[in-house]
Amino acid sequence: MNMPAAQPADGERHAAVLVRDVDMDFGNGPLAVQSASFSLEAGRFLTILGPSGSGKTTLLRMIAGFQKPSRGQILIGGKASDAVAPHKRTIGMVFQKLALFPHMTVNENVAFPLKMRRFNPKDIPERVARYLDLVRLGGYGTRRIHELSGGQQQRVAIARALVFEPDLLLLDEPLAALDRKLREEMQLEFRRIQKELGVTTINVTHDQREALVVSDEIIVMDQGRIQQHADPVAMYRKPASPFVANFIGVSSFLKGEVTETGLSVNGFSCAGTLPRNMSLGSVAQGAIRAEQIRISATAADLASCDTTLQGTVTDTIFEGERLLYFVAVPGLATALQIYHHDPLGHAPHDRGAAVTIGWNARDLLIFPPQNM
Ligand SMILES: Nc1ncnc2c1ncn2[C@@H]1O[C@H](COP(=O)(O)OP(=O)(O)OP(=O)(O)O)[C@@H](O)[C@H]1O
Ligand SMILES: [Mg+2]
């Protein structure tokens, strides 16, 4: 029996992309994507972030119409994503493997989707030149692909995905193969181009920095499930679970019993922010960011912190702009990770040094047991 399609809710009615209760079952284990639901407004830049195997590419391929969901619906601009033949879809795509045509010139590569879509040949050169300018490759049109650097090739792929002015741009880790400096430059380029054109974009990555830098919204996935959908600041400051807190940024975790003011961890009172409806004495997990713990040789320096603990430095990692300390506190199960910027002092705490660490209650986030 054919079930009638459910009507979109009010907030979803004008969505550029609507994903509702989508599963993907490859029949070889747990569902690759499970009960995925979200909607994305036109002009927004969404990043799907998650570890390897979490279902990001599978979700993107279903949105692209390459794969049919085992369950649920995907609407692009109100139409089923697989209802339109691939060459007629107004979706631009850039994949990790670029799939540029190596024997063609840059101009020919960028013109290709226009020819496929039967654009008027008279208009093609001007349009190709305009999009090459947009990706800052004006003047490179007659080069062959192998005569370009990796980053330049990446930009050709972007121009090719955008040249027919798609309604939707899908990116699957297109920057993963680039070195860090170039990748960070290209992230800013993506952001600039997306803002300039206003094209609705879904980007897949496992690079948390990229997600924070380029996106209007982020979805974090784990084991096929959407864990959280939020803007970058909320995702960072108010992670919905320890998984999200651990995946974005560097956090230390403390397990203890709920008290009036936070957690009691092996007898240590750790001030924290409790979610509503936590019962006193129940077991919960706290997470605190490495940049929200202070460290000092003298306890008096940290008198303003809500919690202070005495510990010993077990490791120091020099990261250039900052140091990462591991500090063991007797009685706590794991060493706490602490960032320290020391631009003037140049006097790191040595391994083995006795230190005081401290934080404020609002920075230790406490999660109910069902989220642990
Ligand atoms: N065509 C396929 N047939 C069977 N299983 C598949 C297929 N494609 C993906 N899977 C499985 O589905 C799960 C999700 O894979 P997917 O490629 O979506 O992950 P991902 O988040 O994109 O990972 P990565 O970051 O490594 O690219 C994995 O367990 C994978 O083995
Ligand atoms: Mg993938």
Side-chain angles (χ1 to χ4, degrees), residues 56-57 172-173:
K56 305 180 299 292
T57 294
D172 191 359
E173 313 224 25

PDB file of all heavy atoms in Angstrom, residues 56-57 172-173, ligand 2:
ATOM      1  N   LYS A  56      28.499  10.028   6.612  1.00  0.00           N
ATOM      2  CA  LYS A  56      28.441  11.350   5.971  1.00  0.00           C
ATOM      3  C   LYS A  56      28.256  11.247   4.461  1.00  0.00           C
ATOM      4  O   LYS A  56      27.369  11.878   3.882  1.00  0.00           O
ATOM      5  CB  LYS A  56      29.742  12.136   6.271  1.00  0.00           C
ATOM      6  CG  LYS A  56      30.062  12.274   7.736  1.00  0.00           C
ATOM      7  CD  LYS A  56      31.349  13.056   7.965  1.00  0.00           C
ATOM      8  CE  LYS A  56      32.604  12.445   7.375  1.00  0.00           C
ATOM      9  NZ  LYS A  56      33.033  11.187   8.031  1.00  0.00           N
ATOM     10  N   THR A  57      29.140  10.452   3.825  1.00  0.00           N
ATOM     11  CA  THR A  57      29.067  10.340   2.368  1.00  0.00           C
ATOM     12  C   THR A  57      27.753   9.696   1.951  1.00  0.00           C
ATOM     13  O   THR A  57      27.130  10.113   0.960  1.00  0.00           O
ATOM     14  CB  THR A  57      30.268   9.522   1.842  1.00  0.00           C
ATOM     15  OG1 THR A  57      31.459  10.266   2.105  1.00  0.00           O
ATOM     16  CG2 THR A  57      30.159   9.264   0.344  1.00  0.00           C
ATOM     17  N   ASP A 172      32.052  16.842  -0.934  1.00  0.00           N
ATOM     18  CA  ASP A 172      32.453  15.711  -0.088  1.00  0.00           C
ATOM     19  C   ASP A 172      33.960  15.723   0.113  1.00  0.00           C
ATOM     20  O   ASP A 172      34.708  15.222  -0.722  1.00  0.00           O
ATOM     21  CB  ASP A 172      32.005  14.380  -0.697  1.00  0.00           C
ATOM     22  CG  ASP A 172      32.164  13.222   0.293  1.00  0.00           C
ATOM     23  OD1 ASP A 172      32.644  13.467   1.425  1.00  0.00           O
ATOM     24  OD2 ASP A 172      31.823  12.083  -0.061  1.00  0.00           O
ATOM     25  N   GLU A 173      34.391  16.319   1.190  1.00  0.00           N
ATOM     26  CA  GLU A 173      35.805  16.403   1.562  1.00  0.00           C
ATOM     27  C   GLU A 173      36.689  16.837   0.400  1.00  0.00           C
ATOM     28  O   GLU A 173      37.710  16.200   0.138  1.00  0.00           O
ATOM     29  CB  GLU A 173      36.298  15.047   2.094  1.00  0.00           C
ATOM     30  CG  GLU A 173      35.340  14.461   3.115  1.00  0.00           C
ATOM     31  CD  GLU A 173      36.047  13.894   4.322  1.00  0.00           C
ATOM     32  OE1 GLU A 173      37.172  14.345   4.617  1.00  0.00           O
ATOM     33  OE2 GLU A 173      35.453  13.037   4.982  1.00  0.00           O
TER      34      GLU A 173
HETATM   35 MG    MG B   2      33.030   9.784   3.230  1.00  0.00          MG
END
